């Protein structure tokens, strides 16, 4: 993972921020590699493995992905028809985000 962009504030400190939430980053990491281990997803996103597990549980509960056990691993199927949660973007599907950032991903429609 590369370093996060920082913004100098007028108060002598810097703040780290990104346009996407960790939920968005986890969804994109899984879109790029639907059979990735959560340890690898966590490393890519820059969160703990436990945080990645919680985020995947949120995404699954929200209907954005389905987790299927294949042998000893999980495989994820994304739902690109899922809508963004914020009211300002609720009319848009997350598939547009996946298409923009996860060039290798071919999410399945449910």
């Amino acid at each position: 993972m590369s370093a996060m962009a920082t913004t100098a504030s007028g108060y002598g400190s810097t703040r780290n921020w990104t346009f996407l939430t960790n939920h968005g980053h986890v969804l994109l990491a899984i879109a790029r590699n639907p059979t990735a281990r959560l340890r690898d997803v966590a490393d890519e996103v820059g969160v703990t493995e436990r945080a990645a597990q919680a985020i995947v549980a949120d995404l699954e509960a929200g209907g954005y992905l389905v987790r299927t056990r294949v042998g000893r691993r999980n495989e994820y199927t994304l739902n690109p028809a899922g809508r963004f949660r914020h009211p300002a973007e609720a009319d848009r599907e997350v598939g547009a985000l996946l298409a923009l950032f996860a060039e290798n991903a071919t999410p399945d429609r449910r």
Side-chain angles (χ1 to χ4, degrees):
M1 187 180 104
S2 61
M4 198 179 310
T6 59
T7 302
S9 71
Y11 304 104
S13 66
T14 58
R15 296 181 350 158
N16 293 331
W17 63 276
T18 66
F19 281 106
L20 299 177
T21 65
N22 287 339
H23 282 66
H25 287 292
V26 167
L27 188 66
L28 290 171
I30 290 172
R32 290 183 193 112
N33 184 358
T35 60
R37 297 177 307 166
L38 280 184
R39 176 180 305 148
D40 299 329
V41 170
D43 286 344
E44 181 178 336
V45 173
V47 297
T48 64
E49 190 172 346
R50 179 170 276 186
Q53 289 172 342
I55 291 169
V56 166
D58 289 345
L59 294 171
E60 188 173 26
Y64 295 96
L65 61 80
V66 174
R67 184 179 2 194
T68 305
R69 194 77 173 165
V70 178
R72 295 178 60 200
R73 298 187 69 164
N74 289 320
E75 187 171 302
Y76 303 93
T77 303
L78 302 182
N79 174 18
R83 301 284 180 173
F84 282 94
R85 294 172 52 94
H86 193 280
E89 294 86 26
D91 61 328
R92 302 288 207 153
E93 295 181 347
V94 297
L97 177 75
L98 297 173
L100 182 63
F101 285 103
E103 296 169 3
N104 301 350
T106 54
D108 300 327
R109 283 208 177 260
R110 290 196 288 155

XYZ file of all heavy atoms in Angstrom:
842
model
N 0.842 -1.166 0.000
C 0.000 0.000 0.000
C 0.887 1.228 0.000
O 1.862 1.310 0.709
C -0.896 -0.009 1.234
C -1.911 1.111 1.202
S -2.952 1.086 2.660
C -2.217 2.448 3.537
N 0.538 2.213 -0.808
C 1.313 3.441 -0.849
C 0.849 4.388 0.245
O -0.217 4.228 0.831
C 1.177 4.098 -2.224
O -0.172 4.423 -2.472
N 1.650 5.405 0.486
C 1.340 6.361 1.534
C 0.093 7.164 1.193
O -0.191 7.454 0.040
C 2.523 7.294 1.736
N -0.641 7.518 2.224
C -1.853 8.287 2.057
C -1.497 9.758 1.840
O -0.520 10.255 2.402
C -2.706 8.147 3.322
C -4.141 8.522 3.140
S -5.127 8.318 4.635
C -4.747 6.684 5.171
N -2.277 10.443 1.039
C -2.056 11.864 0.806
C -2.338 12.638 2.083
O -3.214 12.286 2.855
C -2.963 12.364 -0.307
N -1.579 13.682 2.303
C -1.801 14.520 3.477
C -2.128 15.938 3.034
O -1.721 16.378 1.964
C -0.571 14.559 4.397
O 0.530 15.067 3.667
C -0.238 13.185 4.933
N -2.867 16.604 3.870
C -3.237 17.993 3.611
C -2.767 18.819 4.786
O -3.083 18.510 5.939
C -4.774 18.133 3.470
O -5.202 17.285 2.423
C -5.158 19.559 3.174
N -2.024 19.877 4.500
C -1.589 20.772 5.566
C -2.752 21.672 5.934
O -3.383 22.277 5.084
C -0.398 21.599 5.113
N -3.050 21.734 7.225
C -4.116 22.628 7.670
C -3.497 23.953 8.095
O -2.291 24.066 8.271
C -4.892 22.002 8.827
O -4.092 21.985 9.995
N -4.305 24.907 8.253
C -3.825 26.223 8.665
C -3.420 26.280 10.119
O -3.025 27.317 10.618
N -3.511 25.162 10.813
C -3.234 25.138 12.243
C -1.930 24.428 12.579
O -1.717 24.014 13.700
C -4.396 24.484 12.995
C -5.716 25.155 12.711
C -6.639 24.568 11.859
C -6.014 26.391 13.266
C -7.840 25.188 11.576
C -7.214 27.024 12.985
C -8.118 26.422 12.140
O -9.297 27.040 11.859
N -1.073 24.233 11.583
C 0.234 23.647 11.830
C 0.257 22.129 11.876
O 1.255 21.558 12.269
N -0.827 21.483 11.514
C -0.838 20.021 11.514
C -1.225 19.531 10.125
O -1.650 20.290 9.275
C -1.828 19.493 12.558
O -3.141 19.837 12.194
N -1.036 18.239 9.925
C -1.453 17.640 8.661
C -2.524 16.603 8.961
O -2.548 16.010 10.040
C -0.279 16.972 7.923
O 0.282 15.988 8.774
C 0.775 17.994 7.539
N -3.404 16.387 7.981
C -4.471 15.410 8.140
C -4.419 14.442 6.980
O -4.244 14.840 5.841
C -5.831 16.092 8.166
C -5.987 17.001 9.355
C -7.307 17.697 9.452
N -8.154 17.594 8.294
C -9.466 17.767 8.327
N -10.046 18.026 9.463
N -10.187 17.693 7.227
N -4.566 13.150 7.290
C -4.639 12.113 6.264
C -6.101 11.886 5.909
O -6.932 11.765 6.799
C -4.035 10.800 6.760
C -2.560 10.896 6.982
O -1.887 11.667 6.325
N -2.043 10.140 7.923
N -6.374 11.812 4.620
C -7.742 11.522 4.196
C -7.721 10.984 2.786
O -6.754 11.157 2.062
C -8.639 12.754 4.288
C -8.228 13.878 3.397
C -7.286 14.830 3.661
C -8.727 14.167 2.090
N -7.170 15.692 2.597
C -8.048 15.319 1.619
C -9.678 13.577 1.272
C -8.297 15.855 0.356
C -9.915 14.132 0.029
C -9.232 15.269 -0.397
N -8.771 10.263 2.419
C -8.929 9.745 1.067
C -10.375 9.958 0.646
O -11.240 10.236 1.478
C -8.604 8.245 0.961
O -9.572 7.517 1.696
C -7.211 7.927 1.471
N -10.648 9.816 -0.643
C -12.007 9.970 -1.133
C -12.861 8.730 -0.866
O -14.076 8.817 -0.791
C -12.019 10.265 -2.637
C -11.697 11.701 -2.937
C -10.469 12.046 -3.455
C -12.618 12.706 -2.698
C -10.158 13.357 -3.733
C -12.321 14.031 -2.962
C -11.092 14.357 -3.487
N -12.244 7.576 -0.749
C -12.981 6.335 -0.523
C -12.832 5.880 0.925
O -11.769 6.037 1.523
C -12.478 5.232 -1.449
C -12.624 5.488 -2.945
C -12.014 4.340 -3.740
C -14.073 5.691 -3.328
N -13.868 5.275 1.443
C -13.812 4.713 2.787
C -13.095 3.369 2.757
O -12.846 2.808 1.689
C -15.235 4.475 3.340
O -15.867 3.474 2.534
C -16.057 5.757 3.345
N -12.808 2.838 3.913
C -12.221 1.498 3.974
C -13.175 0.462 3.391
O -12.741 -0.513 2.787
C -11.854 1.135 5.413
C -10.629 1.889 5.882
O -9.832 2.366 5.082
N -10.475 2.012 7.185
N -14.474 0.674 3.536
C -15.445 -0.240 2.928
C -15.284 -0.246 1.408
O -15.310 -1.299 0.773
C -16.874 0.151 3.313
C -17.260 -0.264 4.689
N -16.681 0.265 5.824
C -18.171 -1.163 5.123
C -17.219 -0.289 6.891
N -18.131 -1.162 6.497
N -15.123 0.928 0.827
C -14.914 1.018 -0.618
C -13.628 0.344 -1.041
O -13.587 -0.368 -2.049
N -12.576 0.547 -0.268
C -11.289 -0.066 -0.596
C -11.346 -1.591 -0.494
O -10.778 -2.293 -1.329
C -10.179 0.479 0.304
C -9.789 1.877 -0.015
N -9.144 2.224 -1.178
C -9.955 3.029 0.683
C -8.922 3.528 -1.189
N -9.415 4.037 -0.073
N -12.035 -2.107 0.523
C -12.165 -3.566 0.661
C -12.978 -4.131 -0.501
O -12.599 -5.145 -1.094
C -12.791 -3.941 2.029
C -13.220 -5.405 2.055
C -11.813 -3.655 3.152
N -14.064 -3.464 -0.854
C -14.874 -3.927 -1.979
C -14.045 -3.970 -3.262
O -14.109 -4.935 -4.025
C -16.090 -3.022 -2.159
C -17.123 -3.484 -3.172
C -17.802 -4.772 -2.701
C -18.149 -2.401 -3.415
N -13.239 -2.958 -3.499
C -12.396 -2.926 -4.695
C -11.311 -3.996 -4.657
O -11.023 -4.625 -5.676
C -11.773 -1.540 -4.863
C -12.750 -0.442 -5.260
C -12.069 0.922 -5.188
C -13.310 -0.691 -6.645
N -10.718 -4.215 -3.496
C -9.686 -5.256 -3.374
C -10.278 -6.624 -3.684
O -9.653 -7.437 -4.381
C -9.076 -5.238 -1.973
N -11.479 -6.869 -3.212
C -12.134 -8.157 -3.483
C -12.541 -8.242 -4.950
O -12.458 -9.311 -5.560
C -13.326 -8.360 -2.531
C -12.792 -8.603 -1.120
C -14.213 -9.498 -2.993
C -13.846 -8.633 -0.040
N -12.952 -7.121 -5.531
C -13.302 -7.124 -6.955
C -12.093 -7.493 -7.802
O -12.220 -8.206 -8.799
C -13.836 -5.751 -7.370
N -10.925 -7.037 -7.402
C -9.702 -7.337 -8.150
C -9.275 -8.784 -7.979
O -8.662 -9.368 -8.869
C -8.584 -6.410 -7.689
C -8.784 -4.976 -8.109
C -7.603 -4.110 -7.681
N -7.941 -2.711 -7.816
C -8.095 -1.861 -6.801
N -7.908 -2.275 -5.558
N -8.408 -0.601 -7.008
N -9.589 -9.360 -6.803
C -9.180 -10.739 -6.529
C -10.235 -11.407 -5.650
O -10.132 -11.375 -4.422
C -7.809 -10.760 -5.846
C -7.299 -12.172 -5.640
O -7.966 -13.150 -5.974
N -6.112 -12.287 -5.077
N -11.262 -12.010 -6.259
C -12.370 -12.594 -5.499
C -12.002 -13.785 -4.626
O -12.816 -14.226 -3.827
C -13.367 -13.026 -6.580
C -12.944 -12.371 -7.824
C -11.494 -12.065 -7.696
N -10.807 -14.312 -4.759
C -10.386 -15.426 -3.908
C -9.290 -15.011 -2.931
O -8.658 -15.864 -2.315
C -9.893 -16.617 -4.765
O -8.795 -16.189 -5.559
C -11.009 -17.161 -5.651
N -9.090 -13.728 -2.765
C -8.036 -13.228 -1.869
C -8.335 -13.608 -0.421
O -9.491 -13.671 0.006
C -7.926 -11.714 -1.988
N -7.269 -13.877 0.317
C -7.408 -14.091 1.758
C -7.655 -12.736 2.409
O -7.133 -11.714 1.960
C -6.141 -14.706 2.340
C -5.824 -16.075 1.791
C -4.527 -16.602 2.341
N -3.468 -15.618 2.138
C -2.284 -15.648 2.724
N -1.983 -16.605 3.569
N -1.377 -14.735 2.480
N -8.418 -12.713 3.482
C -8.688 -11.441 4.156
C -7.411 -10.810 4.692
O -7.312 -9.586 4.763
C -9.702 -11.634 5.285
C -11.152 -11.702 4.839
C -12.086 -11.793 6.030
C -11.519 -10.505 3.982
N -6.435 -11.623 5.025
C -5.142 -11.093 5.467
C -4.528 -10.228 4.362
O -4.001 -9.157 4.617
C -4.205 -12.244 5.818
C -2.800 -11.818 6.207
C -1.950 -13.022 6.530
N -2.605 -13.820 7.563
C -2.504 -15.143 7.656
N -1.777 -15.820 6.791
N -3.112 -15.795 8.612
N -4.630 -10.706 3.114
C -4.078 -9.955 1.987
C -4.909 -8.713 1.675
O -4.367 -7.664 1.338
C -3.978 -10.854 0.754
C -3.052 -12.042 0.996
O -2.084 -11.891 1.776
O -3.304 -13.121 0.418
N -6.221 -8.825 1.795
C -7.092 -7.670 1.600
C -6.766 -6.604 2.644
O -6.632 -5.417 2.332
C -8.582 -8.079 1.682
C -9.491 -6.853 1.721
C -8.947 -8.976 0.511
N -6.615 -7.026 3.891
C -6.293 -6.094 4.970
C -4.971 -5.383 4.705
O -4.864 -4.162 4.883
C -6.239 -6.835 6.306
N -3.975 -6.125 4.268
C -2.676 -5.528 3.957
C -2.790 -4.506 2.833
O -2.211 -3.422 2.899
C -1.651 -6.595 3.570
C -1.158 -7.411 4.754
O -1.360 -6.969 5.912
O -0.584 -8.487 4.518
N -3.552 -4.846 1.799
C -3.716 -3.938 0.659
C -4.421 -2.649 1.067
O -4.049 -1.562 0.636
C -4.510 -4.631 -0.442
C -4.719 -3.776 -1.672
C -5.472 -4.482 -2.782
O -5.463 -5.729 -2.830
O -6.064 -3.776 -3.609
N -5.423 -2.777 1.916
C -6.221 -1.615 2.320
C -5.532 -0.816 3.421
O -5.708 0.397 3.517
C -7.635 -2.071 2.757
C -8.449 -0.936 3.335
C -8.353 -2.699 1.577
N -4.744 -1.499 4.247
C -4.064 -0.805 5.340
C -4.869 -0.824 6.627
O -4.839 0.124 7.410
N -5.618 -1.923 6.824
C -6.379 -2.108 8.050
C -5.976 -3.434 8.669
O -5.268 -4.226 8.051
C -7.911 -2.081 7.779
C -8.349 -0.731 7.247
C -8.334 -3.195 6.830
N -6.452 -3.678 9.879
C -6.169 -4.960 10.508
C -7.029 -6.047 9.872
O -8.047 -5.761 9.228
C -6.473 -4.917 12.017
O -7.879 -4.699 12.194
C -5.662 -3.826 12.713
N -6.635 -7.289 10.079
C -7.416 -8.404 9.548
C -8.809 -8.430 10.182
O -9.803 -8.712 9.520
C -6.687 -9.724 9.797
C -7.298 -10.895 9.074
C -6.454 -12.153 9.176
O -5.280 -12.088 9.578
O -6.994 -13.225 8.839
N -8.875 -8.103 11.453
C -10.168 -8.060 12.141
C -11.064 -6.975 11.549
O -12.269 -7.177 11.375
C -9.964 -7.823 13.635
C -11.287 -7.735 14.390
C -11.057 -7.747 15.846
N -10.944 -9.138 16.234
C -10.845 -9.556 17.472
N -10.843 -8.697 18.457
N -10.753 -10.819 17.749
N -10.490 -5.816 11.218
C -11.275 -4.744 10.586
C -11.762 -5.182 9.210
O -12.920 -4.929 8.842
C -10.445 -3.466 10.478
N -10.918 -5.870 8.457
C -11.322 -6.370 7.140
C -12.461 -7.372 7.274
O -13.406 -7.354 6.480
C -10.127 -7.003 6.419
N -12.407 -8.231 8.291
C -13.484 -9.194 8.531
C -14.794 -8.467 8.827
O -15.855 -8.843 8.307
C -13.140 -10.118 9.703
C -12.054 -11.114 9.403
C -11.606 -11.867 10.653
O -11.851 -11.444 11.778
N -10.933 -12.985 10.439
N -14.736 -7.439 9.655
C -15.930 -6.678 10.004
C -16.496 -5.960 8.778
O -17.714 -5.916 8.583
C -15.614 -5.667 11.110
N -15.623 -5.423 7.949
C -16.065 -4.723 6.737
C -16.718 -5.704 5.773
O -17.773 -5.413 5.200
C -14.886 -3.967 6.087
C -14.482 -2.790 6.977
C -15.246 -3.501 4.682
C -13.176 -2.138 6.580
N -16.117 -6.873 5.592
C -16.709 -7.890 4.718
C -18.075 -8.306 5.256
O -19.028 -8.472 4.491
C -15.767 -9.097 4.528
C -16.496 -10.279 3.916
C -14.583 -8.697 3.659
N -18.205 -8.441 6.564
C -19.498 -8.780 7.159
C -20.523 -7.681 6.871
O -21.681 -7.967 6.549
C -19.354 -9.000 8.662
N -20.118 -6.411 6.972
C -21.002 -5.287 6.641
C -21.432 -5.348 5.175
O -22.608 -5.163 4.857
C -20.309 -3.944 6.878
C -20.100 -3.605 8.338
O -20.723 -4.248 9.215
O -19.299 -2.679 8.599
N -20.461 -5.570 4.289
C -20.758 -5.619 2.858
C -21.679 -6.787 2.524
O -22.581 -6.665 1.690
C -19.462 -5.693 2.050
C -18.566 -4.454 2.116
C -17.221 -4.729 1.458
C -19.250 -3.255 1.475
N -21.463 -7.910 3.204
C -22.316 -9.079 2.973
C -23.735 -8.804 3.490
O -24.721 -9.086 2.801
C -21.714 -10.308 3.653
C -22.421 -11.591 3.313
C -21.701 -12.807 3.862
O -20.972 -12.713 4.868
O -21.891 -13.883 3.260
N -23.847 -8.232 4.678
C -25.161 -7.917 5.246
C -25.894 -6.882 4.392
O -27.130 -6.922 4.294
C -24.999 -7.405 6.676
N -25.153 -5.981 3.766
C -25.753 -4.962 2.918
C -26.092 -5.441 1.524
O -26.646 -4.687 0.722
N -25.730 -6.688 1.202
C -26.059 -7.250 -0.100
C -25.079 -6.879 -1.204
O -25.375 -7.065 -2.379
N -23.898 -6.392 -0.846
C -22.910 -5.999 -1.848
C -22.037 -7.158 -2.302
O -21.404 -7.087 -3.341
C -22.024 -4.863 -1.311
C -22.818 -3.609 -1.063
C -23.304 -3.308 0.196
C -23.102 -2.743 -2.107
C -24.052 -2.168 0.413
C -23.853 -1.609 -1.901
C -24.327 -1.326 -0.634
O -25.088 -0.200 -0.427
N -21.983 -8.214 -1.494
C -21.223 -9.400 -1.874
C -21.797 -10.620 -1.193
O -22.526 -10.510 -0.210
C -19.730 -9.243 -1.575
C -19.253 -9.010 -0.137
C -19.195 -10.299 0.655
C -17.886 -8.382 -0.157
N -21.454 -11.771 -1.749
C -21.824 -13.070 -1.172
C -20.533 -13.847 -0.973
O -19.688 -13.897 -1.865
C -22.769 -13.853 -2.121
C -23.026 -15.247 -1.586
C -24.067 -13.090 -2.322
N -20.407 -14.422 0.204
C -19.219 -15.210 0.543
C -19.574 -16.681 0.406
O -20.566 -17.141 0.962
C -18.825 -14.877 1.982
C -17.603 -15.509 2.476
C -17.252 -15.125 3.893
N -18.196 -14.223 4.556
C -17.928 -13.575 5.679
N -16.767 -13.707 6.259
N -18.838 -12.798 6.224
N -18.758 -17.419 -0.341
C -18.966 -18.849 -0.535
C -17.709 -19.574 -0.101
O -16.609 -19.207 -0.503
C -19.251 -19.162 -2.028
O -20.346 -18.366 -2.460
C -19.566 -20.626 -2.217
N -17.891 -20.596 0.688
C -16.757 -21.404 1.142
C -16.382 -22.383 0.037
O -17.216 -23.148 -0.452
C -17.151 -22.153 2.404
C -16.010 -22.737 3.135
C -15.299 -21.666 3.896
N -14.292 -22.267 4.735
C -13.326 -21.590 5.300
N -13.245 -20.296 5.130
N -12.448 -22.189 6.041
N -15.111 -22.346 -0.385
C -14.589 -23.268 -1.395
C -13.357 -23.926 -0.777
O -12.300 -23.315 -0.694
C -14.226 -22.530 -2.706
C -13.643 -23.512 -3.710
C -15.434 -21.814 -3.276
N -13.537 -25.164 -0.329
C -12.438 -25.833 0.369
C -12.129 -25.108 1.670
O -13.009 -24.894 2.488
N -10.894 -24.689 1.823
C -10.469 -23.997 3.037
C -10.514 -22.481 2.895
O -10.156 -21.760 3.819
C -9.048 -24.428 3.391
C -8.968 -25.904 3.761
C -7.561 -26.335 4.066
N -7.009 -25.584 5.175
C -5.716 -25.470 5.415
N -4.841 -26.058 4.627
N -5.283 -24.768 6.428
N -10.954 -21.996 1.734
C -10.936 -20.556 1.471
C -12.326 -20.043 1.157
O -13.249 -20.807 0.916
C -10.010 -20.263 0.295
C -8.577 -20.687 0.635
C -7.609 -20.293 -0.377
N -7.423 -18.855 -0.402
C -6.410 -18.271 -0.988
N -5.502 -18.997 -1.593
N -6.287 -16.979 -0.999
N -12.437 -18.727 1.143
C -13.677 -18.073 0.743
C -13.527 -17.532 -0.664
O -12.435 -17.119 -1.069
C -14.016 -16.908 1.671
C -14.452 -17.377 3.031
O -15.173 -18.354 3.153
N -14.017 -16.684 4.067
N -14.616 -17.538 -1.380
C -14.669 -16.906 -2.691
C -15.833 -15.923 -2.639
O -16.883 -16.221 -2.082
C -14.903 -17.950 -3.775
C -14.809 -17.387 -5.171
C -14.825 -18.486 -6.218
O -13.947 -19.359 -6.151
O -15.726 -18.453 -7.068
N -15.635 -14.748 -3.200
C -16.618 -13.684 -3.107
C -17.227 -13.392 -4.469
O -16.537 -13.338 -5.470
C -15.977 -12.413 -2.556
C -15.335 -12.636 -1.205
C -13.989 -12.965 -1.101
C -16.075 -12.549 -0.037
C -13.392 -13.190 0.126
C -15.498 -12.784 1.200
C -14.162 -13.098 1.274
O -13.594 -13.326 2.496
N -18.539 -13.213 -4.482
C -19.267 -12.796 -5.678
C -19.857 -11.429 -5.373
O -20.566 -11.266 -4.372
C -20.399 -13.787 -6.012
O -19.831 -15.092 -6.169
C -21.108 -13.386 -7.293
N -19.553 -10.459 -6.209
C -20.016 -9.098 -5.973
C -21.363 -8.844 -6.627
O -21.709 -9.467 -7.631
C -18.992 -8.099 -6.514
C -17.588 -8.221 -5.936
C -16.688 -7.147 -6.520
C -17.608 -8.127 -4.427
N -22.103 -7.913 -6.068
C -23.391 -7.492 -6.608
C -23.234 -6.063 -7.134
O -23.386 -5.106 -6.368
C -24.476 -7.554 -5.540
C -25.790 -6.998 -6.027
O -26.014 -6.860 -7.229
N -26.666 -6.679 -5.096
N -22.927 -5.891 -8.409
C -22.707 -4.550 -8.943
C -23.976 -3.709 -9.003
O -23.905 -2.497 -9.186
C -22.157 -4.808 -10.346
C -22.672 -6.152 -10.714
C -22.760 -6.924 -9.420
N -25.140 -4.324 -8.820
C -26.396 -3.580 -8.843
C -26.709 -2.935 -7.500
O -27.664 -2.161 -7.395
C -27.543 -4.502 -9.250
N -25.889 -3.219 -6.483
C -26.097 -2.590 -5.179
C -25.960 -1.072 -5.292
O -25.156 -0.568 -6.061
N -26.766 -0.362 -4.543
C -26.782 1.100 -4.588
C -25.851 1.688 -3.531
O -25.651 1.097 -2.472
C -28.198 1.631 -4.340
C -29.221 1.137 -5.320
C -29.071 1.849 -6.595
N -30.066 1.374 -7.563
C -30.236 1.920 -8.728
N -29.484 2.928 -9.098
N -31.124 1.448 -9.551
N -25.300 2.853 -3.822
C -24.519 3.570 -2.821
C -25.427 3.915 -1.648
O -26.626 4.139 -1.810
C -23.923 4.854 -3.412
C -22.713 4.603 -4.266
C -22.838 4.456 -5.633
C -21.461 4.501 -3.702
C -21.735 4.217 -6.424
C -20.339 4.259 -4.480
C -20.481 4.119 -5.851
N -24.866 3.989 -0.474
C -25.647 4.186 0.731
C -25.934 5.646 1.047
O -26.924 5.965 1.685
C -24.946 3.529 1.916
C -24.904 2.016 1.766
C -24.050 1.344 2.806
N -24.371 1.706 4.162
C -25.184 1.029 4.952
N -25.775 -0.061 4.506
N -25.417 1.422 6.188
N -25.073 6.551 0.630
C -25.289 7.971 0.937
C -26.409 8.515 0.057
O -26.445 8.232 -1.143
C -23.995 8.760 0.703
C -24.043 10.122 1.284
N -24.672 11.165 0.650
C -23.551 10.604 2.450
C -24.574 12.249 1.394
N -23.901 11.932 2.493
N -27.321 9.300 0.625
C -28.444 9.820 -0.164
C -28.027 10.600 -1.419
O -28.740 10.574 -2.419
C -29.182 10.741 0.816
C -28.805 10.242 2.170
C -27.407 9.692 2.030
N -26.877 11.228 -1.396
C -26.436 12.010 -2.556
C -26.107 11.125 -3.761
O -26.154 11.587 -4.894
C -25.220 12.869 -2.189
N -25.760 9.855 -3.522
C -25.410 8.934 -4.599
C -26.318 7.710 -4.644
O -26.032 6.749 -5.353
C -23.957 8.446 -4.454
C -22.910 9.505 -4.617
C -22.618 10.240 -3.316
O -22.817 9.655 -2.225
O -22.203 11.407 -3.382
N -27.414 7.718 -3.910
C -28.266 6.532 -3.784
C -28.877 6.083 -5.111
O -29.320 4.945 -5.228
C -29.367 6.780 -2.755
N -28.866 6.953 -6.102
C -29.420 6.576 -7.406
C -28.390 5.879 -8.289
O -28.700 5.473 -9.397
C -29.955 7.813 -8.131
C -28.882 8.844 -8.411
O -27.932 8.958 -7.603
O -28.990 9.551 -9.431
N -27.170 5.705 -7.793
C -26.086 5.076 -8.561
C -25.777 3.680 -8.045
O -25.877 3.409 -6.864
C -24.803 5.904 -8.439
C -24.915 7.315 -8.884
C -25.026 7.369 -10.373
N -24.519 8.635 -10.832
C -24.005 8.834 -11.999
N -23.903 7.843 -12.846
N -23.595 10.011 -12.361
N -25.350 2.805 -8.962
C -24.944 1.449 -8.598
C -23.438 1.390 -8.337
O -22.664 2.087 -9.001
C -25.301 0.479 -9.722
C -26.793 0.340 -9.952
C -27.123 -0.638 -11.058
O -26.213 -1.044 -11.822
O -28.303 -0.994 -11.160
N -23.030 0.534 -7.406
C -21.605 0.397 -7.110
C -20.839 -0.227 -8.269
O -19.615 -0.126 -8.332
C -21.342 -0.397 -5.810
C -21.905 0.325 -4.603
C -21.872 -1.798 -5.891
N -21.557 -0.829 -9.204
C -20.900 -1.393 -10.381
C -20.116 -0.342 -11.153
O -19.080 -0.654 -11.751
N -20.567 0.909 -11.142
C -19.842 1.990 -11.816
C -18.497 2.230 -11.140
O -17.481 2.453 -11.813
C -20.673 3.264 -11.820
N -18.464 2.164 -9.820
C -17.208 2.317 -9.084
C -16.279 1.150 -9.382
O -15.086 1.340 -9.622
C -17.476 2.387 -7.580
C -16.252 2.485 -6.684
C -15.665 3.891 -6.743
C -16.605 2.122 -5.262
N -16.839 -0.053 -9.390
C -16.038 -1.242 -9.681
C -15.448 -1.162 -11.082
O -14.275 -1.486 -11.289
C -16.888 -2.503 -9.533
C -17.445 -2.778 -8.140
C -18.407 -3.953 -8.181
C -16.343 -2.999 -7.142
N -16.239 -0.713 -12.030
C -15.744 -0.602 -13.406
C -14.644 0.434 -13.510
O -13.701 0.267 -14.279
C -16.896 -0.240 -14.340
N -14.737 1.479 -12.720
C -13.752 2.548 -12.764
C -12.417 2.141 -12.144
O -11.363 2.395 -12.710
C -14.303 3.781 -12.034
C -13.430 5.020 -12.005
C -13.199 5.548 -13.416
C -14.092 6.088 -11.145
N -12.466 1.472 -11.000
C -11.243 1.188 -10.250
C -10.748 -0.243 -10.326
O -9.588 -0.499 -10.045
C -11.427 1.540 -8.771
C -11.408 3.007 -8.516
C -12.583 3.688 -8.287
C -10.220 3.704 -8.509
C -12.578 5.052 -8.046
C -10.204 5.055 -8.267
C -11.379 5.737 -8.050
N -11.602 -1.173 -10.613
C -11.207 -2.578 -10.609
C -11.214 -3.084 -12.048
O -12.041 -3.881 -12.441
C -12.138 -3.393 -9.734
N -10.282 -2.612 -12.836
C -10.249 -2.905 -14.257
C -10.224 -4.402 -14.549
O -10.789 -4.852 -15.542
C -9.031 -2.238 -14.902
C -9.094 -0.731 -14.839
C -7.790 -0.078 -15.226
O -6.848 -0.793 -15.604
O -7.707 1.147 -15.121
N -9.609 -5.182 -13.692
C -9.505 -6.621 -13.909
C -10.763 -7.346 -13.470
O -10.933 -8.516 -13.761
C -8.321 -7.206 -13.128
C -7.024 -6.563 -13.526
O -6.944 -5.818 -14.493
N -5.986 -6.828 -12.765
N -11.624 -6.651 -12.727
C -12.788 -7.303 -12.142
C -13.893 -7.484 -13.171
O -14.118 -6.641 -14.029
C -13.308 -6.479 -10.986
N -14.557 -8.613 -13.065
C -15.750 -8.860 -13.874
C -16.840 -9.306 -12.910
O -17.128 -10.493 -12.798
C -15.503 -9.948 -14.939
O -15.009 -11.114 -14.286
C -14.525 -9.494 -15.986
N -17.420 -8.342 -12.165
C -18.404 -8.721 -11.160
C -19.634 -9.370 -11.799
O -20.066 -8.981 -12.865
C -18.770 -7.406 -10.490
C -18.274 -6.325 -11.378
C -17.217 -6.929 -12.271
N -20.157 -10.387 -11.110
C -21.336 -11.105 -11.581
C -22.588 -10.397 -11.091
O -22.643 -9.928 -9.980
C -21.344 -12.537 -11.027
C -20.129 -13.324 -11.461
O -19.648 -13.078 -12.572
O -19.667 -14.168 -10.669
N -23.581 -10.351 -11.949
C -24.898 -9.848 -11.539
C -25.634 -10.997 -10.863
O -25.549 -12.119 -11.291
C -25.695 -9.364 -12.731
C -25.246 -8.029 -13.198
C -26.419 -7.346 -13.851
N -26.017 -6.021 -14.249
C -26.307 -4.937 -13.547
N -26.990 -5.011 -12.445
N -25.914 -3.756 -13.954
N -26.349 -10.682 -9.824
C -27.178 -11.696 -9.149
C -28.591 -11.574 -9.629
O -29.071 -10.646 -10.071
C -27.148 -11.516 -7.642
C -25.806 -11.867 -7.070
C -25.875 -12.064 -5.610
N -26.064 -10.774 -4.950
C -26.624 -10.635 -3.770
N -27.093 -11.664 -3.152
N -26.742 -9.479 -3.200
